[in-house]
Amino acid sequence: MLQRIAHIRIKKTLTIFTALSVVMIAVALSSLPAVSAGQPGGNKHSGQFIFRFDTFGDEALWTDTLRLHEIIQSSVSPRTALSVGLKVDATALPPNFLTKNNLDDPATTVELIRRNAVVGLVGKVEDGRLTSLGTTCAICHSTVNNSVAPGIGERLDGWPNLDLNPGAIIALSPALTESQKAAYNSWGPGRYDPRFNIDGINRPVVIPPVYGLRDVPFETFTGDGKISYWNNYVAVTQMGGHGSFSDPRLGINIVQTPDLVAPKLPALLAYQLSLPVPPPPADAVNPTAAQRGQALFDGAARCGTCHISPTYTDVQNGPNADTPLLHQPAATGMEPVYAQRSATQKYRTTPLRGLWQHPPYFHDGSAATLLDVVNHYDAHFALGLSPAEKFDLVEFLKSL
């Protein structure tokens, strides 16, 4: 069961956690290469700007409390940053930046941050010194197209950064005990536990995509609230943003004024809803097999019972617009612990979109491939699918 935690304990834990998160970002920054030049584009009140560049005032935690800017300045090179999954926006750098700068020098990382080239990191640099550092939504929910080099290219907003190893980055913090570092190091790339600093239970989940959210009002694995609820939760309790968040179901009540988060949630939501689902590569799907797979999906395999087209989820089919339709873990053979830590203690039917792009699958990443997903449900529901039928189903899932 989720432990009930008092406000003062949450704030203390959040401070350590956010600090650690900054460390992880700092580390990743050090291994970044370079590309073409610029400052953050877009109006600062627009959803895109908020998603990419707004820290919600979390520098108070990451800089003042955790002093991660000092760690980056002295120890984090671009090469190190890339090795832990941080990404570099090539469009923010001048031509030949990578060839002209030492990728093993932390000073190059500082310059990348000054140019707003490290995706999800925002910092202030004065006379070559990094004086403050913060993080944004893009750190976990954007990647790049690798058009220049692995980890360096044009931004892909909404795509999960499955290379990011937040736990390993956090574990670099001197503020952690050895047991805490061991927990963070156990996460691995593409996984993050958004409740660990709340209840102390270590069960990371896969970083999800945030594209294709239109008409999917409840976006989290456990359907705790609508999209802006989760944006608020993450900004305040995970990023360390200066705002307020309250949920009596979780025993959380954080009040901070001025609230730098809530006024920006509508614009942030509008931008998220605008992010399209990336289509699969032209040669990635066998169209004839996918057509057969669609018939199976809606027929003998019974997938369409819960994954209802066109959103491929039934979460919006609850009794009213504010109440999601959710399922007990046992109903689909999911592990129960993560659900028990949530406000609902149930799971939402995952909307199927861009599946080709973001393995592993299920909230805990327990299915490495789409065939593993099909095999799980074939066994759980005793469907008796043949190998050929499983192949066809996978081809259809890849087409979504």
Side-chain angles (χ1 to χ4, degrees), residues 18-27 62 66 68 72 133 135 169:
T18 306
L20 300 177
S21 302
V22 178
V23 175
M24 99 186 180
I25 297 172
V27 173
W62 295 23
L66 305 176
L68 290 178
I72 294 175
L133 184 73
T135 61
I169 298 170

Side-chain angles (χ1 to χ4, degrees), residues 94-116:
N96 303 316
F97 181 92
L98 293 173
T99 59
K100 294 178 180 178
N101 290 270
N102 184 355
L103 300 185
D104 294 306
D105 186 352
T108 303
T109 301
V110 172
E111 179 61 12
L112 286 168
I113 295 173
R114 186 186 74 82
R115 293 176 176 274
N116 292 295

